[in-house]
Amino acid sequence: MKMEFREVLDDARSREVTREEALLLLSEADNYEKLLELFRVASEVRRREVGDVFKFDGFIGPITPCTTSPPCKYCGRSAGGNRFSDPLTPEEVALGAKLIEETGTRRVELGGGTLWSGADDVVLKAVEAVKSATDLDVWVNVGPCLSRDALKKLKDLGVVEVGSSLETINEKVFREAKPGDSLRARMEFARAIKGAGLGLASVMMVGIGSSYQDYVDHIFWLKEVGVDHFAVTGLNPIPGTPFEGRRPALSYEVAKVVAVARLVLRRADISIGGIMNDPQLLPLAIMAGANRAIHLGAHVHRPGKWTPRWKCIEARRLGNLELVNYLPLTARIVMDMGMRVEDSI
């Protein structure tokens, strides 16, 4: 019997959608009326399963360089830039953590590139720096360059999540976009994170060549592994990179994947990033069922990495560090959309 779009959505209010149903929703939500219906149900599921509290993470980085060679074709490194070339010291990480805690933020991402020779020591020192200086929760996102022993130590230090981002589960698309990387290593690392008793964060990138079927396979693989935080980003072509001529991901396509993911990963945190790192697109993400944002909170990084476009955003420089705090704007947007911002902000 042929499945109907609206019948699937009605059922999705009370149960997880199947693979076939997820594919149908992605394929048939091809006009604004169907998108609104999909978003409405995804928002209902979010409200019932995880509540109406929206989470903003802080970000400190980079804490590690990136040695992926050749670099990913969508990354600025493939155009000659290298935002990972000057990692923060433990002392700078501690200062950054204090600055972010002062904004009222509850958790912080320690992010960086993938150091394929191993990043155990530098990551452990960065986490210890945050923990010694603040009461922030910490999650780590540096790719599959941590040993199982380091994962155990991170668990002992109270780290809440570790990231293993696939971007795509399609091996051919992965090899094309990330020729110096390893999909198998990232999938194995994701399982190791869960095996260590840590929360798993993982990213999918819309717009690098994956199909709707790939998106569905990706979401259900993460469901099987037990993802705790699923971030959906979109390709934003950077001039000078091999992907500069590609079309940018469409914001509503990213939101559509978020909405379908919410109907599968019903209790996971779902966040947005990449091309969606724009406060103007935050309402769309909320409508689609997201309950978290990583790079729309407070950042500490080297000067000039983020340039705020709105005067209500706090930006200040402290030596070779810069704090950019989006929360005066983004927290207001969340409240205007009818959600509550996490209590500590």
Side-chain angles (χ1 to χ4, degrees), residues 107 138-142 146 151-152 154-156 158-165 189-203 222 225-230 268-269 292:
R107 81 190 57 75
V138 179
W139 71 282
V140 172
N141 191 22
V142 295
L146 296 170
L151 291 175
K152 181 179 182 301
L154 291 175
K155 171 71 172 175
D156 292 342
V159 167
V160 294
E161 293 171 355
V162 174
S164 185
S165 300
F189 187 54
R191 293 189 185 279
I193 290 165
K194 293 299 292 185
L198 290 155
L200 170 64
S202 194
V203 178
L222 289 171
V225 176
V227 71
D228 299 277
H229 172 200
F230 179 46
D269 282 346
R292 186 168 168 180

Side-chain angles (χ1 to χ4, degrees), residues 16 20 40 49 97 99 113 115 133 142 146 153 156-157 163-164 190 230 244 282 293 299 315 325 334:
E16 295 176 4
E20 294 76 14
R40 184 176 298 111
E49 298 289 348
L99 294 171
L115 184 59
V142 295
L146 296 170
K153 290 177 180 177
D156 292 342
L157 285 169
S164 185
F230 179 46
E244 69 174 346
L282 185 53
H299 310 202
N325 180 17
V334 165

Side-chain angles (χ1 to χ4, degrees), residues 55-132:
K55 304 174 181 178
F56 286 105
D57 294 11
F59 174 83
I60 301 174
I63 63 167
T64 51
C66 187
T67 58
T68 301
S69 181
C72 302
K73 292 183 180 179
Y74 53 80
C75 177
R77 287 184 62 231
S78 64
N82 194 347
R83 61 191 177 95
F84 302 107
S85 62
D86 187 15
L88 276 59
T89 66
E91 294 75 21
E92 290 172 324
V93 169
L95 174 57
K98 290 178 183 177
L99 294 171
I100 286 176
E101 190 174 48
E102 289 172 2
T103 70
T105 299
R106 176 173 293 179
R107 81 190 57 75
V108 67
E109 173 193 0
L110 294 177
T114 301
L115 184 59
W116 289 98
S117 60
D120 290 6
D121 187 57
V122 64
V123 168
L124 288 169
K125 286 180 178 177
V127 171
E128 289 167 350
V130 175
K131 290 294 187 178
S132 66

Side-chain angles (χ1 to χ4, degrees), residues 311-340:
K311 290 183 178 179
C312 58
I313 295 171
E314 176 190 6
R316 55 192 171 109
R317 183 167 176 174
L318 299 95
N320 202 25
L321 292 179
E322 183 176 48
L323 169 71
V324 175
N325 180 17
Y326 279 88
L327 290 171
L329 173 60
T330 53
R332 190 185 75 208
I333 291 172
V334 165
M335 291 184 285
D336 286 348
M337 291 292 294
M339 294 188 73
R340 293 185 296 114

